[in-house]
Structures are given as C-alpha cells and as structure tokens.
Amino acid sequence: MARCVLLGAAPIQDYQACASFFQPGDFLLCVDGGYLHASHMGLRPDLLLGDFDSSRLPTDLSCEICSYPPEKDDTDMLLALKTGLERGFHDFLILGGLGGRLDHTVANFTVLAYALEHGASAVLRDEKNIVCLLRDGSISVPFRSGFKMSVFPYGGAAQGVCLRGVQYPLEDYPMPPYCTLGVSNEVLPSGAEVSVASGTLLLLFSRD
C-alpha cells in the first residue's frame, strides 16, 4: 500500500530538501497549518485535518477536510496518524513535526510510539534530523555523511542492545532508563546495525 505522509505546521527551513523526501504515490495528509507548507512546495493535499486554532481553515482547497474542535484529547498529529491507520496505511513519514514548539516535538515522539503499538512504521524527519523507534528487533543503518547517530532507551530499560558498524560499538548491553551512553555515535562508511533483544530504542540521526 502507498505511504502516508503527515505534513505538520512546524517550521521548514528548506522546502527543496523537504520536497525531496516525497515519493511517487504518497498519500498527503496535511495537519492543520501544514497545508501552507504543501502550498509552498506545490503539493496538493489528499486530506486536510486539524482544529485550525493556529491557522485559518482554507476555503480554496478541493480536498477532503476533517475539522475538529480545539478542546480535544489528542494532538492534531496523533489524530492524523489515527486517521491514516483507519484508512489502512501502515507506513508513515512525518514532516513539519520538528523544530517548532518543544512540547509538540515531544508529543510527536509519542505519535511514533502509537504507530509502533499498532503495527505500523513511522519516521519523523526534517532537513537535519531523522527519528524512529525500534522494538524487540534490528535495523540496518546506512552511512549518511555528516550525521551522528544517538540511541536511547524509550519507555523503560532496554536489554541486549547491540551497536555494530559504529565508532563506539556495544554488544548485548543492558541500557537502564535515563541512559545517555548512546549519544552522538558515528556510523562507519560500511553501514551499521542496531538491535535490541527486549525493549524500545529511540534512534536519532542528526547533523549540524
């Protein structure tokens, strides 16, 4: 099935770079003011969703619009993810979700966790950062010039953490909660592998 791109309203500094993250066939779900970013990139939303408390509800869009009251339990981004899940999507890219208000950035980490809990894959990224979660499994990590890799336990301890193909490797390491040992590692040119036997890891790839 096609991938669902959730486009939020957090600041985007480089529209050309952001546009390069899209793939043919992506379903574009704009979240509240994210439709303004879509307009700057010349993209037409397939669906627009939000409470529109920080942006005006557009009247010139021909796509489907789902409007919610500001007084609600979920953030607009989590509502968007839930809507994507209800429509059968299992692969999500979240753009416009980093670099704005810190509370919304942290809330978007929770959106990643919600996707994971419901059998879906979600990646949160911008021009300088890529964020994802890994639970009870392994992932191959390609070398990206200029990027650092950080690995943190998420939601509790993580057991059997292995980092291979990196400058500072770990083997079957128990990461307790609040562990910062995994910050700012470097992936070797041949690529890396991250695995965890039990628990959840928050993986961040960042450049200056």
Side-chain angles (χ1 to χ4, degrees):
M1 189 173 183
R3 183 179 63 168
C4 182
V5 178
L6 309 181
L7 180 58
I12 293 177
Q13 304 300 326
D14 186 341
Y15 281 116
Q16 183 175 358
C18 186
S20 71
F21 302 148
F22 285 83
Q23 300 172 357
D26 281 340
F27 182 90
L28 177 54
L29 198 170
C30 286
V31 185
D32 206 280
Y35 74 90
L36 295 172
H37 290 323
S39 177
H40 282 295
M41 290 184 283
L43 301 173
R44 186 185 69 82
D46 295 292
L47 173 63
L48 173 60
L49 177 154
D51 57 23
F52 305 102
D53 62 344
S54 57
S55 64
R56 185 168 53 88
L57 178 64
T59 58
D60 56 346
L61 291 180
S62 59
C63 68
E64 179 184 359
I65 298 176
C66 296
S67 180
Y68 292 86
E71 298 81 10
K72 59 188 187 307
D73 294 334
D74 294 332
T75 64
D76 287 340
M77 191 65 79
L78 183 54
L79 278 174
L81 180 87
K82 288 182 175 180
T83 299
L85 290 170
E86 290 169 358
R87 297 187 179 211
F89 292 100
H90 298 284
D91 185 14
F92 294 88
L93 172 64
I94 304 174
L95 304 174
L98 293 168
R101 278 176 41 184
L102 183 58
D103 55 347
H104 283 291
T105 296
V106 173
N108 287 335
F109 292 169
T110 301
V111 173
L112 296 180
Y114 189 93
L116 192 64
E117 284 286 339
H118 290 79
S121 171
V123 175
L124 175 64
R125 75 177 302 180
D126 63 10
E127 304 91 330
K128 295 184 176 182
N129 303 278
I130 305 170
V131 188
C132 63
L133 292 174
L134 173 66
R135 177 178 296 166
D136 302 345
S138 63
I139 186 173
S140 295
V141 178
F143 172 77
R144 292 182 175 90
S145 180
F147 278 80
K148 302 285 188 178
M149 180 182 78
S150 295
V151 179
F152 304 102
Y154 188 83
Q159 304 297 328
V161 176
C162 297
L163 306 180
R164 303 185 180 112
V166 296
Q167 183 174 0
Y168 306 106
L170 290 175
E171 193 68 31
D172 199 25
Y173 186 83
M175 275 193 170
Y178 322 118
C179 176
T180 61
L181 176 69
V183 70
S184 294
N185 211 328
E186 292 192 20
V187 176
L188 300 181
S190 57
E193 181 180 281
V194 178
S195 63
V196 55
S198 176
T200 303
L201 297 177
L202 177 67
L203 308 181
L204 299 101
F205 305 90
S206 302
R207 66 176 176 87
D208 294 328

